[in-house]
Amino acid sequence: MPDHRPLQPASPWVQVVATDADWDAADPALLRTIYAQLVWIRAFEQYVLDLAGAALIHGPAHSSIGQEGGAVGSVLALTSEDSVNGSHRGHHQFLAKALHHVEPKGLDPLAPPSDDVREVLLRTLAEIAGLDRGWSHGRGGSMHLQWKEAGAMGTNAIVGGGVPQAAGFAWAHRQAASDAVSVTYFGDGATNIGSTLETMNLASAWHLPACFFIENNRYAVSTTVEEATGEPRLSSRGPGFGIAAWKVDGMDPLAVHLAMTEAVERMRRGKGPTVIEADTYRFFHQNGGFAGSAFGYRTKEEEREWRARDPLTQTAAQLVRLGVLTEDETAQAVAQAKAVMDEIGSVLLEPDPDGKPGQRRIKSAEWPDTDWVDVGVRGDLSELDDAPVVADEASVSVAETKFIDAVATVMGRRMETDDRIVVMGEDVHRLNGGTNGATRGLTDRFPGRVLGTPISENAFAGLAGGIALDGRFTPVVEFMYADFMWVAADQLFNQIAKARHMYGGTGGVPLVLRSKVAMGTGYGSQHSMDPAGIFATSAGWRIVAPSTPYDYVGLLNTALRLQDPVVVLEHVDLYSTSGPGPVDDWDYCLPVGRASVRRPGSDVSVLTYLGMTPYVLAAVEEYGEVDAEVIDLRWLDRASIDWDTIEESLTKTNQVLIAEQGAIGTSYGGWLADEIHRRFFDLLDAPVWRVTGGEASPSISKVLERAAIAQQDEVVAALAEIARY
């Protein structure tokens, strides 16, 4: 028989219970603040449910009633310098942080609210109602609340979606030599999400000051914790990743505060991340003002038992027991908060003259201007006002340069001149510059700023998104292959791409994603895609596709100045090639939205990009019967396409061929052809011609891979067809 030796987790895992002695020992000012916050948040949430019941809230109203104790108890252990983000059920988290920011010395439940408190309540209510007065001018609504000045970095509608960003905030705090911490609030459902678990692992590996605060309200909509996992003690996730964990009664705000104080102290001492599981209960259904029992997944008896442990009534009882407040004073605080919420509501609402008696409507002046609908999808490029922008190669001394050398050299130059830049990705810190040499020499030159990551694209892409939202640093993320964007699709497309617009259009998201295209190298269907067509559908991303060393340097320099996320596409075919590159000027920028005419011509305009550009130029030379003008697009996103150059070329040629390598299903040229037809129909003598890869993804077989992608031969065939037209 083998010996069985019990193993103990390397990190502590404890349950914290507040006793009457803890209440007795607590600072009365802290207890008054706890109660005041609970009262204000409860009154706010009840008012939101009233508006939702009157159809004055467009969209969901995910009430936090019953769960306020966890948010209040934890936030009061933080400062304004600390960051928080939260879930779709995040009103209480946001309000607790915002109220603590404007009243850092504490709230008194009996004192009339300050103008700052009223402003927080008014702007939050306006945001939830989708009004211009809101924090994000109504764009975020109930599920996307952000006030960065207060350290409230944004609640999130994707379950687990905000968790990786919180690790980014934590990294930025530590890199800035601050002792600030980051707290991410999420529910029991998110503890089983890949992005959450990936981020716990990454935060532990990097010893980040990040707290994973689990609000275990026992139901993911209607699915119980016991149904969703074999270990319903969700704080157990912590020791599994080497993270210290606390389990606490979330209906007891003082117990939460005590646990959070211990966790924050540990993080501020540089002891790495923490997990807190607060057992709590939402009194209503997932959305709206009905009890869960009305939908059959909870019993009324269970709801009564939890309501008997309401954090407001428990806290009020303790304050009365301690003589901090009388029963009449606790009732007075509740009445005052309700009256103030009615006053605040009257700022936004008015009687509806066409409705029933007592019916209200939103004041017309409170709605956002519809002309503002797309403003802020991306920035206005004012950050380039002082950039050393050049028009063409004639402005820079060039010499024959190996493409991959240009990649590594310009990245080194940027890190040398801007200590805000940090590079991360799989193996970028090893192998003499990653798998292709793009970060060669950078690890030794810039210790702590070239970060080799675990294989967890969702986590480290989201972490980079958090760093970008924080704004103090500029992350450069490397995806070893472009296909891996599907693994991180939530962070790339739901989070990073939408953040600027969703949160009001003013805050930047400075992030560069370097993504490698490897078709033609035998790496098969899951390592060979061209993602340009996918990124082009996602408003918010800018896309650059350099085909020469000169272009790479100028485009990367521009990308790293932008306050928008930029994906820099790199083709493996180009890494080993040589072409014009800078001799001694590694700082120049190429203008946003400027294509390059690689070859003038008069018969057809060929639009191409990235690794297809050399194949097109070779095809035009091989097939001499068509005088083709070859335009290397360089910028591929909808906002940055060089329509002026395309129109000027079409005015001469009156027909256009779009040539790309990738599969037809994810084709970049599909939307571009449609747009050209709409914009330049009168200039065209023929429909838009196209060269793409086939329907199938490239496979491993050399001959089948070649048949699946487009190269020089396919362009020659297209030119021959155009000649016969």
Side-chain angles (χ1 to χ4, degrees):
M1 287 285 290
D3 286 343
H4 289 77
R5 301 173 183 177
L7 297 174
Q8 298 297 323
S11 298
W13 180 26
V14 298
Q15 184 166 2
V16 174
V17 179
T19 65
D20 281 349
D22 293 311
W23 284 89
D24 295 345
D27 183 349
L30 170 65
L31 299 182
R32 293 177 77 95
T33 294
I34 286 175
Y35 187 64
Q37 281 236 13
L38 292 172
V39 166
W40 283 113
I41 294 171
R42 177 65 61 85
F44 180 92
E45 289 286 67
Q46 288 175 330
Y47 195 81
V48 168
L49 287 183
D50 290 343
L51 295 190
L56 292 171
I57 300 293
H58 182 65
H62 295 108
S63 167
S64 66
I65 291 177
Q67 298 186 197
E68 303 95 337
V72 171
S74 58
V75 163
L76 291 178
L78 305 176
T79 72
S80 292
E81 300 304 311
D82 299 315
S83 301
V84 305
N85 72 352
S87 66
H88 60 283
R89 191 180 311 285
H91 302 168
H92 56 321
Q93 303 151 6
F94 177 84
L95 284 173
K97 192 68 165 71
L99 292 172
H100 190 39
H101 173 67
V102 299
E103 297 287 354
K105 294 181 179 179
L107 288 167
D108 190 283
L110 300 179
S114 66
D115 290 343
D116 287 339
V117 168
R118 285 177 177 267
E119 182 74 2
V120 165
L121 297 171
L122 175 59
R123 292 191 68 182
T124 307
L125 184 65
E127 185 61 41
I128 291 170
L131 307 181
D132 187 61
R133 193 188 293 263
W135 301 104
S136 300
H137 302 280
R139 282 182 177 163
S142 170
M143 297 186 289
H144 308 107
L145 296 168
Q146 184 192 69
W147 187 23
K148 290 175 68 173
E149 289 81 354
M153 304 300 287
T155 56
N156 203 291
I158 302 296
V159 174
V163 176
Q165 296 168 22
F169 308 147
W171 185 91
H173 289 320
R174 190 181 65 185
Q175 189 73 2
S178 165
D179 71 347
V181 305
S182 172
V183 183
T184 182
Y185 294 91
F186 53 91
D188 46 279
T191 60
N192 304 315
I193 293 281
S195 58
T196 300
L197 301 174
E198 285 184 20
T199 306
M200 284 184 174
N201 178 68
L202 184 55
S204 180
W206 289 3
H207 307 290
L208 299 178
C211 176
F212 299 87
F213 195 101
I214 306 168
E215 290 184 316
N216 184 358
N217 66 22
R218 299 191 52 76
Y219 292 92
V221 186
S222 65
T223 301
T224 67
V225 173
E226 290 77 12
E227 289 176 291
T229 178
E231 173 50 280
R233 297 173 301 172
L234 303 179
S235 46
S236 66
R237 272 51 168 180
F241 290 107
I243 302 175
W246 288 255
K247 185 175 177 63
V248 67
D249 179 5
M251 307 301 274
D252 182 340
L254 181 61
V256 174
H257 185 73
L258 294 172
M260 190 66 171
T261 299
E262 294 178 10
V264 169
E265 190 271 338
R266 181 183 178 91
M267 291 185 289
R268 294 206 201 282
R269 285 192 294 115
K271 298 299 184 181
T274 57
V275 169
I276 293 180
E277 176 191 5
D279 291 318
T280 186
Y281 201 77
R282 52 175 164 84
F283 289 173
F284 295 97
H285 177 53
Q286 166 77 355
N287 174 32
F290 294 97
S293 57
F295 298 87
Y297 64 89
R298 302 196 305 206
T299 67
K300 291 183 178 180
E301 180 182 5
E302 176 185 299
E303 290 174 343
R304 282 194 297 270
E305 290 174 354
W306 280 95
R307 280 183 176 271
R309 302 179 53 232
D310 188 330
L312 264 76
T313 57
Q314 285 199 90
T315 302
Q318 288 284 7
L319 296 185
V320 171
R321 180 184 70 80
L322 293 169
V324 176
L325 293 174
T326 67
E327 287 189 10
D328 286 345
E329 286 174 329
T330 62
Q332 178 184 337
V334 171
Q336 176 184 242
K338 289 182 177 178
V340 169
M341 285 309 306
D342 285 337
E343 294 173 15
I344 288 172
S346 68
V347 176
L348 307 176
L349 305 172
E350 64 185 3
D352 186 349
D354 301 320
K356 298 177 181 178
Q359 193 168 343
R360 296 172 294 174
R361 68 181 182 186
I362 303 289
K363 293 178 180 178
S364 59
E366 296 293 332
W367 293 109
D369 188 334
T370 56
D371 289 342
W372 199 64
V373 62
D374 288 331
V375 174
V377 169
R378 58 192 66 81
D380 62 4
L381 302 180
S382 58
E383 60 267 40
L384 297 178
D385 287 348
D386 62 348
V389 175
V390 300
D392 51 43
E393 288 178 27
S395 306
V396 177
S397 297
V398 297
E400 198 74 3
T401 305
K402 194 171 181 180
F403 195 103
I404 194 62
D405 290 343
V407 174
T409 302
V410 70
M411 183 58 67
R413 173 61 177 165
R414 294 282 62 79
M415 295 185 76
E416 178 183 79
T417 58
D418 187 348
D419 60 10
R420 297 171 301 174
I421 295 174
V422 56
V423 176
M424 66 186 69
E426 294 154 2
D427 294 306
V428 296
H429 62 318
R430 299 261 166 80
L431 304 178
N432 194 28
T435 55
N436 290 97
T439 52
R440 187 183 305 123
L442 301 186
T443 302
D444 294 334
R445 291 176 62 192
F446 308 105
R449 292 170 57 199
V450 180
L451 310 176
T453 66
I455 299 175
S456 53
E457 282 82 6
N458 224 351
F460 70 77
L463 180 145
I467 293 173
L469 285 170
D470 174 90
R472 287 175 287 183
F473 300 93
T474 303
V476 178
V477 179
E478 178 181 304
F479 274 11
M480 197 177 289
Y481 293 93
D483 307 67
F484 298 172
M485 74 173 201
W486 295 117
V487 181
D490 174 48
Q491 293 303 319
L492 297 181
F493 303 127
N494 272 325
Q495 309 295 340
I496 294 167
K498 296 178 181 177
R500 176 194 277 271
H501 183 263
M502 184 170 67
Y503 291 127
T506 55
V509 189
L511 180 150
V512 169
L513 170 64
R514 295 179 43 247
S515 189
K516 184 170 71 182
V517 179
M519 63 180 66
T521 61
Y523 269 76
S525 297
Q526 296 175 335
H527 284 66
S528 303
M529 78 172 295
D530 175 355
I534 304 299
F535 275 99
T537 67
S538 183
W541 279 101
R542 294 187 187 268
I543 312 166
V544 296
S547 62
T548 70
Y550 170 86
D551 278 8
Y552 190 95
V553 173
L555 292 173
L556 185 71
N557 284 336
T558 300
L560 284 169
R561 284 177 173 264
L562 291 178
Q563 290 296 298
D564 298 321
V566 183
V567 57
V568 179
L569 301 181
E570 301 173 10
H571 201 296
V572 173
D573 280 355
L574 297 174
Y575 282 154
S576 60
T577 65
S578 295
V583 174
D584 49 18
D585 180 1
W586 294 89
D587 299 326
Y588 65 91
C589 297
L590 289 176
V592 174
R594 184 75 57 81
S596 176
V597 178
R598 300 295 184 197
R599 180 190 188 279
S602 58
D603 292 341
V604 61
S605 305
V606 184
L607 309 183
T608 190
Y609 62 91
L610 203 64
M612 193 62 169
T613 304
Y615 289 123
V616 168
L617 290 170
V620 171
E621 294 307 310
E622 177 184 340
Y623 189 81
E625 296 183 29
V626 174
D627 185 21
E629 180 151 288
V630 179
I631 299 174
D632 187 346
L633 293 171
R634 299 202 291 202
W635 293 87
L636 305 183
D637 58 281
R638 184 180 296 270
S640 307
I641 285 285
D642 188 350
W643 297 116
D644 291 340
T645 294
I646 294 172
E647 182 175 17
E648 182 179 349
S649 181
L650 284 178
T651 301
K652 294 186 299 179
T653 67
N654 302 116
Q655 53 184 343
V656 61
L657 167 66
I658 301 172
E660 59 186 314
Q661 281 196 292
I664 194 168
T666 54
S667 165
Y668 172 77
W671 84 266
L672 182 59
D674 175 75
E675 192 69 23
I676 288 172
H677 278 124
R678 295 174 187 279
R679 286 175 177 258
F680 306 123
F681 183 79
D682 289 343
L683 295 178
L684 295 174
D685 290 342
V688 174
W689 302 90
R690 292 178 59 198
V691 170
T692 72
E695 182 178 1
S697 300
S699 50
I700 294 293
S701 168
K702 185 174 183 179
V703 295
L704 293 178
E705 179 185 47
R706 177 61 189 88
I709 64 178
Q711 292 183 347
Q712 181 174 335
D713 291 346
E714 286 73 19
V715 179
V716 169
L719 293 174
E721 187 176 358
I722 290 170
R724 293 192 298 269
Y725 183 76

